[in-house]
Amino acid sequence: MTDMEMFEKLRSVIEPYGSVAIAYSGGVDSSFLMAATTEILGAENVLGIYVENDLHPKREKFDAYVMAEMLGWKVKVISVGLDSDPHIAENTKNRCYYCKRAAFETILDYAKKKGFSTVMDGTNCDDLGEYRPGLKALEELKIVSPLKEARFGKEDVRKISKSRYDLPTWNKPSNSCLATRIPYGTPLTQDNLATVEEGENFLHQLGYLTCRMRLHGNLARIELPVEDFAKFMSLHRETVSDYFKELGVLYTTLDVLGFRSGSQDESLEAK
């Protein structure tokens, strides 16, 4: 199927709704959905809603806001705190369900107040093959996922983001909320989430844009692409260890298996 044919399929999913609100994070998928929906329905019929909380890096909010301003998208920021549901901070294996439920209930409520009866999100087909308990919350709340319905995978989104809109997010590394850096069963706090955010910001400043800092008590487990290992060990090993100690993390390790999304869920598979 050509890019044009895929887009027309997406158009057939979106067009009947007339006007929609979109859960907008500034990531690859939601940014493409904002661009496509704005083209299909018109900017006046699309409202992006950005959820601000302790689980998302502050830099993501800034980047999302700047891109929305640059492209003329209407975006509203709303807050959904850790205390919106006690199950979230408990950080059980179903945390994502409770977090998505709380976030999208708030999004739905705000959208309806502004006259938007339909809320969409950027779930794509590739997300269905991963451990995503939050998808159940989307189904319960009847959130529409046009990319999934039109059979878009992540690479389809990236390709058409570049070819049709030249969005700056077309090749943005995939990211996930900061809670995925904390092992299941370890309560989420503003302190340990801030430590992870500051640690990863430091790695980004050193040039490691694809990375994870997994926090295990007073030990940090860094995940980098294997091809970055030599650079890290020769140039930044001690620098990173010293900085992490300033954050209160005593030990720093480099995961020998390298970067991989969802490695926290390996503990579930082991069980």
Side-chain angles (χ1 to χ4, degrees), residues 162-173:
K162 173 64 174 175
S163 64
R164 195 174 187 94
Y165 302 111
D166 198 23
L167 291 175
T169 52
W170 78 269
N171 63 345
K172 183 177 181 179

Side-chain angles (χ1 to χ4, degrees), residues 80-100:
V80 181
L82 275 177
D83 58 355
S84 59
D85 186 323
H87 291 96
I88 300 174
E90 289 173 2
N91 196 22
T92 66
K93 66 179 183 179
N94 291 321
R95 176 205 69 245
C96 188
Y97 167 81
Y98 296 108
C99 187
K100 287 285 189 187

Side-chain angles (χ1 to χ4, degrees), residues 168-233:
T169 52
W170 78 269
N171 63 345
K172 183 177 181 179
S174 295
N175 205 355
S176 53
C177 80
L178 296 173
T180 63
R181 309 332 190 237
I182 312 293
Y184 291 123
T186 300
L188 303 177
T189 66
Q190 290 182 336
D191 286 342
N192 60 19
L193 292 169
T195 296
V196 169
E197 180 174 3
E198 291 179 40
E200 290 193 356
N201 282 343
F202 188 68
L203 292 171
H204 292 160
Q205 291 167 17
L206 294 175
Y208 302 104
L209 300 184
T210 300
C211 67
R212 294 288 186 270
M213 176 194 180
R214 313 283 187 186
L215 190 61
H216 303 261
N218 63 357
L219 181 148
R221 175 169 58 88
I222 298 174
E223 294 180 11
L224 299 174
V226 174
E227 56 268 26
D228 285 340
F229 280 15
K231 172 186 173 182
F232 179 83
M233 294 302 291

Side-chain angles (χ1 to χ4, degrees), residues 5-18 20 33 37 40-41 118 120-121 144-152:
E5 289 171 332
M6 292 197 69
F7 188 83
E8 289 306 311
K9 187 174 182 180
L10 181 62
R11 182 192 299 275
S12 71
V13 174
I14 294 173
E15 205 163 37
Y17 289 96
V20 301
L33 185 59
T37 307
I40 294 166
L41 301 180
T118 299
M120 294 180 170
D121 89 307
V144 179
S145 302
L147 302 180
K148 180 183 69 175
E149 291 185 31
R151 306 304 299 168
F152 274 63

